[in-house]
Amino acid sequence: MIKVAISIGDLNGIGIQLALENHAILSKEINPLYCIDEAMLKQAAQKLNIPIPHDFHTIENIAPSFEIEAGVVTKESGAYAYASFVKAVELARKQEVDAICTLPIHKKAWEKAGVAYKGHTDALRDFFDAEAIMMLGCDKMYVALFTEHIPLKEVASSINEKDLTRFLVDFYHTARPTSTVGVLGLNPHAGDDGVLGDEEIIIQKAIDNANVHINPNYCRGGDTPTYSDPLVPDVAFTPNVRKNYTHYVAMYHDQGLAPLKALYFDEGINVSLNLPILRTSVDHGTAFDIAYKGLKLNALSYINAIKYIGEHL
């Protein structure tokens, strides 16, 4: 059975509740190893009033114990979440597990703990010295992000032919889309032939480069391209256009994730591509507003993140 390290996320949030409540279901598909120590697990389970399954396997010596404060951003919870993630990556690197799945962190808590990274993907790039690609979604629609957690004012200057070409080629080889991938333009109306911006000229060059690199015999107008020409962003996710694509590449975070989450928020997952390990994650946050309140959680994203591992190993 596939062995998966589960990075426990921010213990002041809902991650540990998801892990406990769904263990029985997921342990039929995988052999989970939870990166949390017994003391913190018992504290969380007591606060949640959820029994700990007898086969809920954990790891000692993750990080210093602390008092869980439901829904509060603390440096202690940030430090523990980061240490749990590092332990999961270490296990995967040593091939002691087959993949990792990360439960939600709080970026501010990481910052308070002195963690230099803005999130899991940033850290993975550094850990493996690789150009990790963030892809989010579900079987109905996946969206990869060319730029991720950067200010909007920096997006246009980040789009260059060389980096976007490399991104498109790497994405194709790791995501393995079976049909043409839709690439979003940056500007309204995809620039309207330069009237509203000329970044689409760069995007088109990168698309052409990638199409030829992937298929050296590619002939524009003759062959089915791996990547579309720049799509007009405000219609790219309409029902008629979505009939043509299962995978998209967005130029920036909200351009791709706002429509994705409007359509498939509950079932979407996060996948890190172009790495020597497989990492998936839930595509939602710590939900501090409902943590430890005894509410029923929607676990579809977590379940789908685990299922993706089973389907891609």
Side-chain angles (χ1 to χ4, degrees):
M1 187 177 286
I2 295 170
K3 193 170 186 179
V4 179
I6 310 292
S7 172
I8 210 64
D10 195 305
L11 284 169
N12 289 345
I14 63 169
I16 185 60
Q17 182 179 345
L18 283 171
L20 286 166
E21 289 182 342
N22 294 283
H23 173 76
I25 297 171
L26 296 182
S27 60
K28 295 176 182 177
E29 306 292 330
I30 62 162
N31 179 12
L33 178 59
Y34 299 94
C35 295
I36 182 174
D37 61 67
E38 188 175 353
M40 293 305 300
L41 174 62
K42 286 181 177 178
Q43 182 189 160
Q46 184 176 23
K47 288 180 180 290
L48 289 164
N49 195 27
I50 297 176
I52 300 172
H54 68 90
D55 59 346
F56 198 93
H57 299 300
T58 60
I59 299 176
E60 291 304 303
N61 302 315
I62 297 293
S65 296
F66 65 96
E67 182 65 28
I68 292 171
E69 299 180 71
V72 180
V73 178
T74 68
K75 67 177 182 180
E76 291 82 8
S77 66
Y80 199 98
Y82 179 67
S84 175
F85 169 58
V86 169
K87 175 59 72 173
V89 173
E90 177 187 328
L91 292 168
R93 192 193 292 271
K94 293 180 178 178
Q95 298 184 334
E96 294 180 24
V97 297
D98 300 296
I100 69 174
C101 180
T102 57
L103 289 167
I105 62 162
H106 196 290
K107 292 179 176 58
K108 190 65 178 180
W110 270 26
E111 182 184 274
K112 282 191 169 189
V115 177
Y117 307 109
K118 296 179 181 178
H120 293 114
T121 310
D122 290 342
L124 288 166
R125 285 196 184 97
D126 196 32
F127 293 169
F128 292 100
D129 191 23
E131 295 292 344
I133 293 173
M134 184 185 291
M135 181 181 78
L136 303 100
C138 57
D139 287 342
K140 298 168 189 173
M141 187 174 84
Y142 284 106
V143 178
L145 303 179
F146 176 59
T147 65
E148 299 160 7
H149 299 128
I150 65 173
L152 188 58
K153 65 182 179 181
E154 296 177 12
V155 171
S157 61
S158 299
I159 296 174
N160 64 80
E161 184 179 346
K162 179 181 177 181
D163 289 343
L164 183 53
T165 297
R166 175 197 50 74
F167 179 95
L168 296 175
V169 171
D170 288 347
F171 179 67
Y172 170 78
H173 287 305
T174 52
R176 293 291 182 185
T178 56
S179 59
T180 299
V181 177
V183 180
L184 303 185
L186 176 68
N187 298 296
H189 301 192
D192 255 350
D193 293 324
V195 175
L196 301 176
D198 57 9
E199 283 79 13
E200 282 70 23
I201 296 172
I202 300 171
I203 296 170
Q204 183 68 68
K205 288 179 180 178
I207 289 168
D208 291 340
N209 294 342
N211 283 335
V212 171
H213 188 281
I214 293 163
N215 177 12
N217 297 317
Y218 171 72
C219 174
R220 172 177 281 277
D223 297 338
T224 300
T226 302
Y227 289 101
S228 73
D229 291 344
L231 299 175
V232 174
D234 67 352
V235 298
F237 296 99
T238 56
N240 279 336
V241 178
R242 289 206 318 275
K243 292 175 184 177
N244 301 313
Y245 307 105
T246 57
H247 292 69
Y248 289 85
V249 171
M251 292 300 109
Y252 61 94
H253 187 279
D254 289 7
Q255 184 190 48
L257 298 194
L260 174 66
K261 293 187 178 184
L263 291 165
Y264 303 116
F265 179 75
D266 289 336
E267 56 198 290
I269 67 171
N270 185 340
V271 183
S272 295
L273 299 172
N274 208 35
L275 291 171
I277 68 167
L278 176 58
R279 174 256 174 173
T280 68
S281 176
V282 296
D283 185 22
H284 59 71
T286 51
F288 278 175
D289 57 322
I290 60 172
Y292 296 88
K293 292 185 177 179
L295 301 176
K296 182 175 176 58
L297 303 180
N298 187 325
L300 191 53
S301 179
Y302 179 39
I303 292 169
N304 284 349
I306 296 295
K307 283 184 176 179
Y308 185 97
I309 292 171
E311 293 168 357
H312 290 82
L313 281 180

